[in-house]
Amino acid sequence: MATLSIQHPIDLRSDTVTKPSPPMREAIAAAQVGDDQYGEDPTVRRLEEDVAARFGFGDAMFVPTGIMANHIGIRLQVGPGEELICDADAHIVAHENGGLAAHAGIQTRTLPSVRGLLDPAGLAAMIRVGDRYTVGTRALEVENTHNRGGGAVYPIETLREIRALADSFGLGLHLDGARIWNAHAATGVPLREYGAIAHTMAVCMSKGLGAPAGSLVLLPPGRSEQARSLRRRLGGSMRQAGILAAGAQYALDHNLERLSQDHENAARIAAALRSAGASVRDPETNIVLVDADDAPAVAKECFAKGVRISAFGPKLLRIVTHLDVSAQDCDTAADVVSSVLMQSPERG
């Protein structure tokens, strides 16, 4: 294969690497701000009210990160020494540095699944009622779309079954919706229908939507003060946070409808890699998973050639499309990745 000329680095490690566009920067610069710890930042409050309404919740709270959003949402439902059940590859157990255990004393119990999507029947078999000798389950957790599942999307019917299961046992249900926007774009399921299945929910503004930072926790009735106390205890309260909220609001207003372009670009990369002989898992949204004999070595070589992708494990690569990469960028990246994969020593 001919040597490729790349004019600029193509960063496909994550959809968190996007830069604010000039109009987003203008919105940030023009943001009305106040002291959010006093509840006086109008831009933060507008964002919280907007997101809560879109998902059918009574309130939402702006926080710096998705990890904090998950942590607070789960702590509103599960106490120290109590149990949360989730998928074995859930973000909360794989990528959040053991925060639920370290900071909240929450026990997680996990079960394997296909593409990270829990089967309601298998989940039901895991639930423990609890007594003086046994830790009882307090809540369930689902992730939609599922990061380590390659951006897999839960069918809304499955989510409804899981909510019905939670209700039948009197359990809480937390939805890690960091990329719920992608699920909505892929399926057309209204955001309020996703919101209806969860007692608490976390949504991220800095992934597919392209904001510089920030997530929100969607809150059940009567829990706002407790949530804000937890945020402060974790060091997550901010002052003139409208600077960040303005970027998030712009992203929500302008970038939600374009997410299907990222899905098309992911499918484009997957098709090109498959045509070149790579083992690729069909993407449902904006995440492409590729098998490799030595993923870190492949990622390192691609980086040297101007294409940045992630080693998602010893033998797994992750490629994530986003608003800062074009279809042409994706074609170029696919050429680079396939050339490196085909030249690996294991392929002779």
Side-chain angles (χ1 to χ4, degrees):
M1 184 175 292
T3 301
L4 296 165
S5 175
I6 296 181
Q7 302 302 315
H8 61 276
I10 301 172
D11 198 339
L12 295 163
R13 291 172 297 173
S14 177
D15 43 8
T16 62
V17 302
T18 57
K19 304 294 194 301
S21 64
M24 183 183 286
R25 290 176 184 271
E26 290 175 9
I28 291 170
Q32 292 184 315
V33 298
D35 192 321
D36 185 49
Q37 284 210 54
Y38 290 117
E40 295 175 356
D41 192 301
T43 306
V44 170
R45 196 60 201 146
R46 177 193 169 204
L47 176 68
E48 292 172 337
E49 291 171 354
D50 187 355
V51 173
R54 288 176 190 246
F55 288 96
F57 276 76
D59 198 6
M61 181 178 68
F62 189 54
V63 296
T65 69
I67 290 177
M68 186 178 288
N70 277 332
H71 186 92
I72 292 172
I74 291 168
R75 283 185 67 170
L76 291 176
Q77 304 187 69
V78 187
E82 296 179 337
E83 178 179 271
L84 174 78
I85 296 179
C86 62
D87 165 67
D89 266 340
H91 193 278
I92 61 170
V93 294
H95 297 294
E96 299 190 5
N97 299 80
L100 289 176
H103 299 306
I106 292 173
Q107 173 173 294
T108 51
R109 194 153 58 99
T110 65
L111 68 160
S113 64
V114 178
R115 295 178 299 118
L117 308 183
L118 294 170
D119 171 62
L123 188 56
M126 293 280 289
I127 295 171
R128 295 189 289 219
V129 175
D131 53 34
R132 70 171 67 179
Y133 309 108
T134 308
V135 175
T137 305
R138 293 292 298 155
L140 311 176
E141 188 266 359
V142 294
E143 182 181 331
N144 192 29
T145 68
H146 198 288
N147 182 22
R148 295 196 68 84
V153 181
Y154 267 99
I156 189 63
E157 296 81 7
T158 303
L159 291 173
R160 289 174 180 148
E161 286 183 50
I162 293 174
R163 172 57 187 262
L165 176 65
D167 288 346
S168 71
F169 281 91
L171 306 178
L173 178 59
H174 177 74
L175 171 55
D176 178 354
R179 292 186 175 91
I180 196 69
W181 319 107
N182 295 90
H184 165 68
T187 64
V189 171
L191 296 176
R192 290 181 72 91
E193 292 192 26
Y194 285 127
I197 69 99
H199 293 101
T200 59
M201 188 171 176
V203 299
C204 184
M205 311 305 291
S206 63
K207 292 188 171 69
L209 294 182
S215 289
L216 292 101
V217 195
L218 299 170
L219 303 169
R223 307 301 293 275
S224 178
E225 285 306 311
Q226 184 183 1
R228 293 174 194 281
S229 177
L230 279 172
R231 182 180 67 176
R232 182 173 176 83
R233 185 177 300 160
L234 292 167
S237 294
M238 297 177 284
R239 297 297 182 177
Q240 286 71 39
I243 296 293
L244 292 176
Q249 186 70 60
Y250 181 92
L252 185 58
D253 292 341
H254 295 87
N255 295 340
L256 180 58
E257 299 303 319
R258 60 150 307 281
L259 285 174
S260 59
Q261 298 173 34
D262 297 341
H263 301 174
E264 291 168 5
N265 282 338
R268 189 183 188 101
I269 290 172
L273 292 175
R274 189 175 293 108
S275 295
S279 174
V280 184
R281 306 179 194 183
D282 288 330
E284 294 184 44
T285 50
N286 68 323
I287 299 176
V288 183
L289 297 182
V290 186
D291 296 318
D293 293 313
D294 186 346
V298 171
K300 182 178 180 181
E301 181 64 18
C302 289
F303 189 95
K305 293 178 180 293
V307 174
R308 300 173 182 179
I309 60 177
S310 298
F312 218 39
K315 295 182 178 295
L316 188 65
L317 299 164
R318 187 185 75 160
I319 299 170
V320 186
T321 55
H322 52 78
L323 60 83
D324 278 359
V325 290
S326 65
Q328 182 177 350
D329 289 334
C330 292
D331 290 342
T332 301
D335 286 343
V336 170
V337 175
S338 60
S339 70
V340 173
L341 283 170
M342 296 308 110
Q343 293 168 10
S344 63
E346 291 82 355
R347 289 184 172 269

